[in-house]
Amino acid sequence: MTESTPSPAPSVQFDLIAEDQAGQRIDNYLITRLKGAPRTLVYRILRKGEVRVNKGRVKPDYRLQAGDSIRIPPVRLPEPDEPVLVGQGILQALESNILYEDKALIVINKPAGLAVHGGSGLNFGVIEAMRQLRPDVPQMELVHRLDRDTSGCLMIAKKRSMLRHLHAALRGTGVRKCYLALVKGHWPATIRKVHAPLQKNNLRSGERMVEVNAEGKESLTEFSVVQRFGDMATLVEARPITGRTHQIRVHARHAGHVIAGDPKYGSDEFSQQIKELGGKRLFLHAASLHVELPDGTQLDVVAEPGRMWDDTLRRLAHV
């Protein structure tokens, strides 16, 4: 009987940050660098001070600078021949949902119900799956996030230079997003903007909730009516001018018109009515994206919400 050779024990490693790697957060760098390591592990070694930058402790939001020396403690990662994390069905679905791809950027139509990254009990998300789909791309990173139950346009950078460009564009006017949302009741044509500050709160259960609070961050969403379904529901376009967590969902509730299928901020009764019509999801979809690319060209991407969404609205029109 032949015994397998045990893998060598992991050891301390030191990384020197190059110019092209500068500007990214230390937590994001480690998540990419330690492929396969749970996010909880990355944050634990940061919190305990086992990761050092220039021999000192840093917080997860520290932004790396060219020339930084990073001490990475011994971390056991999955072996190359271990079973893949993401099943072929999900990989194929994501491949077929790619809306745009070039050497530096991918835009996909993220399915509802799929998280953008692993963690909090999830083994994987979109970014882990995309890294498995594109193993030849070493620096693939999420440009922004969508809630797990929200579908639609999601940008993934394949190069650090594109990631930096799009982060700057998101802070300015270089990226414009438009969402579709099915909300309860008759949305008045007079409500074109919801300008209400938002504040995040973490409950004892660990759940994150967002509320309108005068001490929160400035938040602005523009709304317009697309289609009315009597007094029962309204399909609206939502254009977030700021990019706060759960912004559209909380602003819709603040306006008095919750989104269908929203378990956190919605109405159980309204969500059940839509569910009985076949709508078993959160009715919030990132429908289109306008992006100014580094060379000055304009990229416009449109994502369809899918058959369940379309069938539900068709049935709703005949209620």
Side-chain angles (χ1 to χ4, degrees), residues 93-241:
L94 287 177
E95 185 77 62
S96 66
N97 275 7
I98 293 176
L99 303 171
Y100 173 84
E101 183 171 8
D102 61 23
K103 293 181 179 179
L105 176 66
I106 296 176
V107 183
I108 72 164
N109 185 358
K110 185 189 85 65
L114 183 60
V116 294
H117 56 68
S120 300
L122 300 172
N123 289 329
F124 68 88
V126 172
I127 189 62
E128 289 84 7
M130 292 305 297
R131 286 170 180 159
Q132 192 170 312
L133 274 175
R134 299 288 187 272
D136 57 329
V137 180
Q139 294 185 332
M140 189 175 288
E141 294 288 351
L142 290 165
V143 175
H144 59 115
R145 288 169 168 75
L146 290 177
D147 294 339
R148 179 178 180 178
D149 293 327
T150 301
S151 57
C153 295
L154 179 70
M155 293 186 289
I156 299 170
K158 297 163 74 175
K159 292 185 177 181
R160 286 291 308 163
S161 55
M162 177 61 79
L163 185 66
R164 287 196 298 269
H165 168 79
L166 291 175
H167 279 173
L170 284 164
R171 289 192 293 270
T173 59
V175 176
R176 295 198 299 274
K177 304 175 190 174
C178 182
Y179 290 72
L180 290 172
L182 182 67
V183 301
K184 181 181 180 182
H186 186 282
W187 185 286
T190 53
I191 299 182
R192 298 178 181 176
K193 294 182 180 181
V194 175
H195 198 176
L198 299 179
Q199 185 174 59
K200 282 188 278 191
N201 292 311
N202 291 318
L203 305 182
R204 288 183 180 178
S205 62
E207 185 181 9
R208 175 181 288 180
M209 296 289 287
V210 177
E211 64 179 9
V212 172
N213 189 305
E215 297 180 358
K217 293 182 178 179
E218 181 183 9
S219 306
L220 173 63
T221 309
E222 296 178 346
F223 290 92
S224 59
V225 173
V226 176
Q227 184 179 358
R228 298 192 190 281
F229 300 92
D231 290 330
M232 182 177 176
T234 308
L235 182 66
V236 297
E237 276 187 355
R239 291 171 293 278
I241 306 305

Side-chain angles (χ1 to χ4, degrees), residues 7 83 86 129 161 169 286 289 292 309:
S7 301
V86 186
S161 55
L289 195 64
E292 184 175 316
W309 180 292

Side-chain angles (χ1 to χ4, degrees), residues 26-27 30-31 34 36-52 57-60 71-77 120:
I26 182 68
D27 54 353
L30 290 171
I31 288 165
L34 302 173
R39 293 174 67 90
T40 50
L41 172 62
V42 169
Y43 286 103
R44 185 165 70 246
I45 61 177
L46 277 167
R47 186 177 65 251
K48 293 174 68 177
E50 294 179 39
V51 174
R52 299 289 177 118
R57 287 176 175 245
V58 291
K59 293 184 177 180
R71 177 198 184 273
I72 301 175
V75 174
R76 195 267 174 188
L77 300 176
S120 300

